[in-house]
Amino acid sequence: MTHKINSAGTAAVSTDVFWLPIIECPAGVKVLLLTTHGVAIVGHYADAKDRGFYTHWHPLPKRRGD
């Protein structure tokens, strides 16, 4: 299994995929972003000035067959 339910029973969490450091995030494209408050959003990372609000990122998932 590649995920588990967290202890609060509120989220499915991956066991083999991890957030990437924001310094590696490509600018100007849609990605998953993790805020300093631990909230995940879909958005565009502009540049280094956004590092104060976002801590990590991850590429969007791909559908099978695409």
Side-chain angles (χ1 to χ4, degrees):
M1 185 177 343
T2 61
H3 69 280
K4 65 178 184 173
I5 304 302
N6 69 351
S7 61
T10 57
V13 180
S14 175
T15 58
D16 61 349
V17 178
F18 299 89
W19 287 99
L20 302 167
I22 198 66
I23 58 172
E24 300 172 8
C25 187
V29 296
K30 188 185 295 186
V31 295
L32 294 172
L33 294 163
L34 188 64
T35 71
T36 55
H37 300 287
V39 177
I41 64 168
V42 175
H44 289 86
Y45 177 76
D47 55 32
K49 68 178 169 53
D50 283 340
R51 284 190 198 151
F53 188 68
Y54 302 117
T55 61
H56 293 80
W57 77 284
H58 201 276
L60 297 174
K62 180 179 172 181
R63 293 186 304 178
R64 293 194 194 280
D66 282 1

